[in-house]
Amino acid sequence: MAVKISFKLNGEDVSINIDDHVTLLDMLRDNFELFGAKEGCGYGECGSCTVLVDNVAVNSCLMMAPAANGRSVVTIEGLSGPRGELDPLQKAFVEKGAVQCGFCTPGMIMSAKALLIEKPCPTEEEIRKGMAGNLCRCTGYSKIVDAVKEASERGCACGKGS
Ligand code: FES
Ligand code: FES
């Protein structure tokens, strides 16, 4: 059954009629052509589909699209600035070599974003814990942790960053 939902998507108000059995991930990709969030496992194990819903990291493969009604959804496409400037996390991932094949990267960055929103100056242990739901088959994780640490130190008020 199709239902009409309205929500904020990457800062813009949107409305759509969507079948109630469609996942948030499929709606983002198929109806809004936002291809950053990826379907890896499709059942909540890999984190490649992670987006922010009301600033909390969510596996969009597990959330049904109608549940987005009235909420704010941010995808990796919503992180860059109006002129395409990269978010500090995106910059740090590039600079630290935390991107290889890139399949996990949007989900990793969105989980890191949620972590830094909640905890701007996380310890390494907190970063590893915060990213535990995101799997990467390429990087061995160290560079990803370094990138999140770098972004947090640049952006937070802990005095460690430049
Ligand atoms: S595709 Fe959603 S957790 Fe793997
Ligand atoms: S960079 Fe390839 S899966 Fe993480």
Side-chain angles (χ1 to χ4, degrees), residues 3 17 28-29 31 35 48 55 61 63 70 81 84 94 103 106 130 140 145 150 154:
V3 292
N17 288 312
L28 292 172
R29 293 178 61 88
N31 300 91
F35 299 115
S48 65
N55 280 344
C61 70
M63 180 171 160
V94 172
F103 190 86
V145 173
E150 176 75 17
R154 282 183 198 165

Side-chain angles (χ1 to χ4, degrees), residues 100-102 104 136-139:
Q100 288 189 23
C101 82
C104 72
C136 175
R137 63 192 168 191
C138 306
T139 64

Side-chain angles (χ1 to χ4, degrees), residues 25 38-50 59-62:
L25 175 62
K38 306 281 189 293
E39 180 164 320
C41 64
Y43 52 84
E45 288 292 327
C46 73
S48 65
C49 64
T50 305
N59 287 331
S60 61
C61 70
L62 294 182

Side-chain angles (χ1 to χ4, degrees), residues 116 119-124 126-127 148-162:
L116 296 188
K119 194 174 276 285
C121 302
T123 63
E124 178 168 336
E126 287 168 337
I127 292 172
V148 178
K149 207 182 302 174
E150 176 75 17
S152 75
E153 290 176 358
R154 282 183 198 165
C156 80
C158 63
K160 288 185 286 184
S162 53

Side-chain angles (χ1 to χ4, degrees), residues 110-123:
M110 297 315 286
S111 286
K113 191 75 185 172
L115 173 68
L116 296 188
I117 288 170
E118 192 195 342
K119 194 174 276 285
C121 302
T123 63

Side-chain angles (χ1 to χ4, degrees), residues 37 42 50 56 58 65-66 73 86 92 96 100 111-112 142 147 153 156 161:
T50 305
V56 173
V58 164
V73 176
L86 295 181
K96 292 288 180 184
Q100 288 189 23
S111 286
S142 295
E153 290 176 358
C156 80

